[in-house]
Amino acid sequence: MDFKHTSVLLNEVIDGLKVKNDGIYVDCTLGGGGHSKAILQKLAGTGHLIGFDQDNDALNAARINLSEFNNVTYINSNFVNLSDKLLEARIMQIDGLLIDLGVSSYQLDNPERGFSYKHNAPLNMAMDKSAKVTAYNIINEYPEEKLTKLILDYGEERWAKRISEFIVAERKNKQISTTFELVEIIKKAIPAGARQQGGHPARQTFQAIRIETNQELDVLSSVLKQAVNFLKPNGRLAVISFHSLEDRIVKDYFKYETLNCSCPASQPICTCDKIKKLRLISKKPIVASDEEITYNNRSRSAKLRIAEKI
């Protein structure tokens, strides 16, 4: 299966990063290399791009897509290892960094990866093919209370408790091995009337399981802090999120780093010694145009936030 992915908010990202032709830029989620290619087209020979991806399929696709450029370093790693990998490459400061948190069309549409409720496949959902913990482990091994919490917190699914109860009851009979087996359990758990509302009944549960499988929210919080430490003054950080949980983490972190003091308002004297690190480039998230949504429906939920290092 070919690696296909349409880059979301491409022009807005490139404009927002203010790419300098001699700058050093990091794409934390290289994917097929769409955003990276646009960055590289603005770099001269002295500029450089570092691309991270934990999915070897994505890296191989990017190498092909970016084969005309010789100023790229490819890193097969989760971006949570940003600091270590940049230091290994003897890079101490960067001019800009992009994080696109969307799951690629290739990953969603490839039945073998087990991300989609639309294709029958082994339960997997791991972006890193060598991962030891997959969706299969979560569905078959997590206690009922833990399953309920993650489906409620990460999927924002109102029927989380019933879904967890049905999963645990089913796995007492046999292990749940495929995406369609899980879909059928979810459908049984959600009352018929509720299944008629809000899209596919398995969508939110699958989102929750994917987030847990890849530890996506913990990784995001970590990489934001690492990225700011590596940015040069006036360097920019751009993040594209696709659901409210991710966007809230980015929004709250950006807001915190724009403050010179984090002490309670009732405290007369500052004792926190906090220093402002960022200024917001976009106070509100940048969203896709109607035109982009017509040719790439997955851009509908995308939100881009950009901040600049002080």
Side-chain angles (χ1 to χ4, degrees), residues 131-148:
K132 294 180 180 179
V133 176
T134 68
Y136 174 88
N137 302 107
I138 292 165
I139 292 298
N140 287 287
E141 298 169 12
Y142 273 26
E144 183 179 316
E145 295 78 9
K146 191 172 182 180
L147 269 177
T148 299

Side-chain angles (χ1 to χ4, degrees), residues 102-119:
V103 182
S104 73
S105 302
Y106 168 84
Q107 289 168 327
L108 286 174
D109 296 338
N110 185 344
E112 296 176 5
R113 304 300 295 272
F115 283 99
S116 177
Y117 44 77
K118 296 179 181 179
H119 304 291

Side-chain angles (χ1 to χ4, degrees), residues 5 85 98 154 166 228 259:
H5 182 63
K85 295 300 181 181
L98 167 66
Y154 294 169
F166 276 59
V228 170
L259 301 175

